[in-house]
Amino acid sequence: SAAERALGAAVIRLVTGLVRGLHRLEVEGAAGLPEAGAVLICPNHVSDLDPVALAAALPKAVRGRSVWVADRVRVFGHPVWRRLCRALRVFPVDETAPRDAVALAVEVLERGEAQVWFPEGWRSADGRLLPFQAGVGHVILAARAPVVPVFIEGTREVWPRDRALPRLGGRLRVIFGAPVPAEALAPGATSKRGSTIS
């Protein structure tokens, strides 16, 4: 609804202002993000602060058309959080029903929007990249959208997994890579729809 869109925009402005005000946020490569059309944005994951830092780093045109995913159990357990997630264009992912999450992400991309997907699925404890979950591959095969790799740095030091609240201050860095065509990631792979990436 219009009210939910207004709420979401206000929360994003607030969060973006807080991140930029409390931390030294450095952003590289954001100018290369497509302002229109489907794109799958895939960041590394080391902290609960990652989505906030990424949202603050995204250009306004991309941020406004981005759809996010969040764990159903951790984030959608309270009605207030559920309402806020709806306003922020976040949909729940249930690890017991991965096909539903993939289907929703593909639908987002087929509508020509930006889908943010953390391919590791979990926060890395030591900052090293974890193996990717299978879901991101299924999304790429089905939607054939270009993929933007993103490297987030500094969030683990500000808000590590074993700390209840984030520290104030610290440098955050978000680096956007160039969009990679699906064809370059999985040449010759066949999707469940029966077509082949050539």
Side-chain angles (χ1 to χ4, degrees):
S1 67
E4 287 172 328
R5 287 194 295 271
L7 173 62
V11 171
I12 287 293
R13 282 196 300 271
L14 174 63
V15 168
T16 299
L18 286 174
V19 169
R20 292 186 175 273
L22 297 174
H23 305 283
R24 299 189 310 277
L25 179 63
E26 300 175 9
V27 182
E28 299 179 24
L33 285 166
E35 294 188 1
V39 61
L40 182 62
I41 300 172
C42 291
N44 63 314
H45 199 14
V46 293
S47 167
D48 281 335
L49 192 59
D50 293 336
V52 179
L54 179 58
L58 285 170
K60 186 177 180 181
V62 181
R63 187 171 59 235
R65 66 186 193 90
S66 295
V67 179
W68 304 70
V69 297
D71 183 76
R72 181 185 63 83
V73 175
R74 292 190 69 208
V75 180
F76 284 81
H78 192 280
V80 173
W81 279 111
R82 285 198 299 273
R83 177 58 63 89
L84 186 59
C85 283
R86 181 177 172 86
L88 293 173
R89 295 165 55 93
V90 180
F91 68 79
V93 170
D94 187 340
E95 64 178 14
T96 65
R99 290 185 182 182
D100 293 342
V102 168
L104 286 169
V106 170
E107 182 181 333
V108 167
L109 293 167
E110 288 179 342
R111 292 200 314 244
E113 299 186 273
Q115 173 68 67
V116 180
W117 187 286
F118 289 88
E120 296 165 274
W122 306 96
R123 293 165 294 164
S124 172
D126 57 10
R128 289 183 291 186
L129 199 65
L130 299 174
F132 287 2
Q133 301 293 314
V136 68
H138 291 296
V139 173
I140 293 169
L141 284 175
R144 307 293 176 86
V147 180
V148 173
V150 185
F151 179 65
I152 302 174
E153 184 179 42
T155 51
R156 186 171 68 92
E157 289 72 23
V158 172
W159 198 358
R161 288 187 354 167
D162 58 355
R163 186 178 172 88
L165 294 172
R167 300 181 176 95
L168 297 180
R171 181 177 70 98
L172 306 179
R173 193 174 178 214
V174 180
I175 304 172
F176 295 96
V180 181
E183 292 80 1
L185 293 171
T190 303
S191 73
K192 289 188 177 180
R193 297 181 182 187
S195 53
T196 301
I197 294 181
S198 56

